[in-house]
Amino acid sequence: MTKTHPSKERTFVLIKPDGVQRGLIGEIIKRYENVGLKLVGMKMLVPDPDHVEAHYTLDPNWRRVTGEKTIKGYREKGLTPPSEDPLEITAKILENLKKYMSCGPVVAMVWQGAHAVKIVRKLTGGTEPLTSDVGTIRGDYVLDSYQMSDPDNRAVRNLIHASGSEEEAEIEIAHWFSDSEMTNYRMVHEEILYDVNLDGILE
Ligand code: GDP
Ligand code: MG
């Protein structure tokens, strides 16, 4: 990956169908705008299940890692996981995610700015809404849990997907956007966020 100036870091964010249905598009965008990030790509679409599967399996380790994480989560709660095979667990999660993510329109976005990946993850909150911190988007706007979603054989409804690392961001952006769908532009407030000398304010 070519390293650019840190203020140009980009991340991929998807408002999932429940976020759109809950009328939270504006609120979610506002959170990322408020912190100082710049929106450089945005579109609404209904993704097909194959596109969703490809999104989650862009990382060849995702099936194994997510399966292991899920098994660990069950054990930590003193529960027996539905299977000891991580890949079997993830196959079910993936089926549920494909159904969930393709059930209606989503809003795909690319946000740019200093530490875009980490800042967006911080504002978004942890994956499972039950334990997402108060003050994060998931903590403030949704109440689902694996305890609710697993027995009903559905994906946990957590409003948003956000890239977990710069590497993930790069491949996810390429998966959802073409170069021509992205806009490079300057924003006035970048001056106060990033300018070194701040010598253009006083008249
Ligand atoms: P994220 O990066 O915070 O979105 O989380 P992951 O990449 O680890 O997981 C992606 C999706 O997989 C989540 O949105 C959930 O739908 C599902 N998932 C992840 N971990 C678990 C788990 O422990 N149990 C269940 N049932 N689903 C999970
Ligand atoms: Mg992830």
Side-chain angles (χ1 to χ4, degrees), residues 16 56 62 69-70 93 97 121 127 146 150 156 158:
K16 296 178 177 180
Y56 280 106
W62 184 82
K69 200 180 72 165
T70 306
I93 289 177
L97 277 168
R121 293 279 282 199
T127 311
Y146 299 135
D150 286 354
V156 74
N158 59 7

Side-chain angles (χ1 to χ4, degrees), residues 87-100:
L87 297 183
E88 200 180 316
I89 300 245
T90 317
K92 195 68 237 167
I93 289 177
L94 194 53
E95 271 319 298
N96 291 337
L97 277 168
K98 283 160 74 174
K99 220 184 296 169
Y100 167 39

Side-chain angles (χ1 to χ4, degrees), residues 82-131:
S83 163
E84 294 300 327
D85 177 4
L87 297 183
E88 200 180 316
I89 300 245
T90 317
K92 195 68 237 167
I93 289 177
L94 194 53
E95 271 319 298
N96 291 337
L97 277 168
K98 283 160 74 174
K99 220 184 296 169
Y100 167 39
M101 303 274 281
S102 59
C103 75
V106 301
V107 177
M109 301 179 284
V110 180
W111 287 91
Q112 179 176 312
H115 311 290
V117 171
K118 284 204 181 81
I119 295 280
V120 162
R121 293 279 282 199
K122 181 180 73 164
L123 296 176
T124 302
T127 311
E128 186 187 19
L130 176 65
T131 53

Side-chain angles (χ1 to χ4, degrees), residues 122-184:
K122 181 180 73 164
L123 296 176
T124 302
T127 311
E128 186 187 19
L130 176 65
T131 53
S132 313
D133 289 336
V134 172
T136 66
I137 302 168
R138 285 166 171 164
D140 286 354
Y141 288 103
V142 72
L143 44 61
D144 207 7
S145 68
Y146 299 135
Q147 193 190 328
M148 292 278 296
S149 64
D150 286 354
D152 287 348
N153 209 5
R154 61 170 177 79
V156 74
R157 293 185 187 138
N158 59 7
L159 303 174
I160 294 163
H161 164 81
S163 306
S165 66
E166 285 179 68
E167 293 70 30
E168 203 173 280
E170 191 172 346
I171 52 175
E172 288 180 351
I173 290 168
H175 182 63
W176 291 87
F177 286 89
S178 62
D179 282 346
S180 65
E181 290 175 312
M182 233 95 76
T183 310
N184 294 313

